[in-house]
Amino acid sequence: MNQPLAEALRRFVNNECSKQEAEEVEKWLLMNLTSPDADEVFEQLLADVRVEEDRVRMKRTQQRLNKFIDESIAVRRRAQRRAVRIVTMAMQYAAILVLGIFCIHFYRQSGQTQSWTEVYAAYGETKRVTLPDSSVVWLHADSKIIYPERFGTHTRQIYASGEIYADIAHDVRHPFIVTSNGADIRVLGTRFNLRSYSDNDNVEVTLVEGSVALDVDAADRKQSYTLTPGDVVCIDRTTGKTEQYRFDPEEYTSWKDKRVLYFINRTLGDIVIELQRCFNVPIIVKDRSLLSTRYLATFVNEESLDEIFESLNSDGAMEIVRQDDAIVISAAK
């Protein structure tokens, strides 16, 4: 194994590279995606690294991991919007790199590497996943989780991006932690809904049962909250603005069983993003002034996309037409 390359890779996964060095490493990765040497390099890299207990370093790794998760999902979104069915080597390598980062910092005490599983629910999909501790997680459309083959001796930790509903097995000795885009949710045993898409500034946690401690990096400072059943906390990561209110559990959790949509004071911009995820249909809004219009609407009978838009456009303010496989929205003339 090339030693300078090995050292550069170690610094890269630890986020210790200079900008120039990071660019060189990324260039090497892209140039060697199809090379069998790449697997050998990572195997040697993992074999040379021992248990890492430095919490600051682990935090940096989490942040870097979140970046790769977001980039990975962004690539999938772009592919789906173009309606092109592709599986690129770059995507496969991004997954390998994510697993490599995990393995480096989450070795078992025996010194053996840990295996991680990545599950992604694409546009129009909902998936159910059973975790190693028998906890169950449902993934909404355009969402991802990464979890280990077995949990550690102190905590049970997974990584998520998008929207999930989690039914966590109770274990007082091993707190369950979900890390998602700058937010950490810590529970012992509970049922909750997390909404934290990388293309949205908001983190929203809804507690159905049990208790949850929520820590969010927002507006350059960490904000902490403790939820009780029936609480919803929504935090804007950019401004730090927080909204907290009570809820009807059905509004936030029924999506895992059937397609239901609750648009409570939601803008058309947010609604369009949600409909694209649920129906896997590109929606183009030509008149951007329409995006800020707010709606109060619920769809619980698995209405079609056409039926939903017919209801949203009851005042005739929009002109909605289908062009090829997309829906195009303009202001009514």
Side-chain angles (χ1 to χ4, degrees):
M1 178 181 179
N2 184 303
Q3 287 304 315
L5 173 60
E7 290 301 322
L9 284 170
R10 289 190 187 94
R11 290 193 294 275
F12 180 76
V13 297
N14 288 319
N15 203 21
E16 296 173 348
C17 283
S18 66
K19 181 178 179 180
Q20 181 177 356
E21 191 173 36
E23 290 176 352
E24 291 299 321
V25 171
E26 290 171 356
K27 184 184 300 183
W28 183 87
L29 294 175
L30 292 173
M31 293 292 290
N32 290 272
L33 294 178
T34 59
S35 170
D37 294 338
D39 289 340
E40 181 182 347
V41 167
F42 269 91
E43 287 175 6
Q44 185 62 49
L45 178 62
L46 295 175
D48 290 345
V49 179
R50 293 305 170 199
V51 178
E52 179 61 80
E53 296 294 342
D54 183 341
R55 294 294 172 182
V56 174
R57 188 181 293 265
M58 289 175 70
K59 181 65 175 178
R60 289 202 303 266
T61 301
Q62 283 187 10
Q63 293 170 347
R64 193 160 181 78
L65 171 65
N66 286 336
K67 178 176 182 291
F68 276 98
I69 290 175
D70 295 342
E71 289 176 351
S72 175
I73 289 181
V75 172
R76 295 174 196 249
R77 287 188 185 126
R78 288 195 294 269
Q80 289 179 334
R81 286 176 187 143
R82 294 171 186 149
V84 178
R85 186 177 180 275
I86 58 172
V87 181
T88 65
M89 287 301 297
M91 181 64 66
Q92 294 172 13
Y93 198 85
I96 292 172
L97 184 56
V98 166
L99 296 180
I101 294 171
F102 269 126
C103 291
I104 289 172
H105 287 286
F106 294 92
Y107 266 57
R108 295 200 299 269
Q109 291 183 353
S110 64
Q112 297 175 348
T113 59
Q114 176 71 287
S115 296
W116 294 76
T117 299
E118 170 188 320
V119 180
Y120 176 73
Y123 276 40
E125 287 186 338
T126 300
K127 289 189 176 180
R128 182 183 187 274
V129 179
T130 301
L131 301 179
D133 66 340
S134 298
S135 296
V136 179
V137 176
W138 286 262
L139 282 71
H140 206 344
D142 191 29
S143 301
K144 174 194 281 187
I145 62 169
I146 300 177
Y147 63 93
E149 64 176 349
R150 61 178 60 83
F151 288 118
T153 56
H154 301 294
T155 61
R156 299 170 287 166
Q157 184 159 24
I158 69 171
Y159 294 79
S161 184
E163 183 169 12
I164 65 170
Y165 175 79
D167 188 346
I168 304 302
H170 187 75
D171 187 343
V172 176
R173 295 181 301 171
H174 301 91
F176 194 97
I177 301 172
V178 181
T179 296
S180 179
N181 302 315
D184 289 320
I185 301 164
R186 186 181 182 91
V187 305
L188 297 177
T190 186
R191 291 188 293 146
F192 67 92
N193 198 85
L194 165 68
R195 185 178 178 85
S196 178
Y197 283 99
S198 59
D199 60 0
N200 191 300
D201 291 332
N202 291 332
V203 175
E204 184 179 271
V205 177
T206 304
L207 182 59
V208 177
E209 179 182 290
S211 63
V212 160
L214 171 64
D215 295 317
V216 178
D217 292 324
D220 298 324
R221 64 186 179 90
K222 185 173 286 293
Q223 301 187 40
S224 299
Y225 304 86
T226 300
L227 283 70
T228 58
D231 282 345
V232 178
V233 172
C234 185
I235 304 169
D236 188 313
R237 283 183 289 245
T238 302
T239 65
K241 180 182 177 182
T242 302
E243 295 181 347
Q244 187 165 355
Y245 46 92
R246 304 292 289 176
F247 76 105
D248 175 359
E250 182 71 14
E251 293 184 12
Y252 290 88
T253 63
S254 52
W255 60 260
K256 66 184 177 62
D257 301 315
K258 63 177 182 178
R259 188 178 67 243
V260 296
L261 297 166
Y262 292 88
F263 301 133
I264 311 301
N265 195 30
R266 298 276 296 277
T267 65
L268 180 64
D270 288 339
I271 291 172
V272 162
I273 293 173
E274 182 72 10
L275 293 177
Q276 288 184 135
R277 289 188 177 116
C278 290
F279 290 92
N280 193 19
V281 174
I283 302 173
I284 302 167
V285 181
K286 286 190 171 182
D287 190 334
R288 299 191 63 81
S289 65
L290 295 172
L291 294 174
S292 59
T293 304
R294 292 187 175 273
Y295 292 85
L296 176 62
T298 60
F299 302 96
V300 298
N301 296 312
E302 298 194 349
E303 288 88 347
S304 69
L305 192 54
D306 289 336
E307 290 172 332
I308 290 172
F309 273 118
E310 181 179 354
S311 176
L312 294 176
N313 195 34
S314 59
D315 60 356
M318 297 181 289
E319 181 178 311
I320 304 170
V321 297
R322 283 189 176 267
Q323 292 183 2
D324 299 323
D325 294 327
I327 290 179
V328 180
I329 302 174
S330 306
K333 297 177 181 178

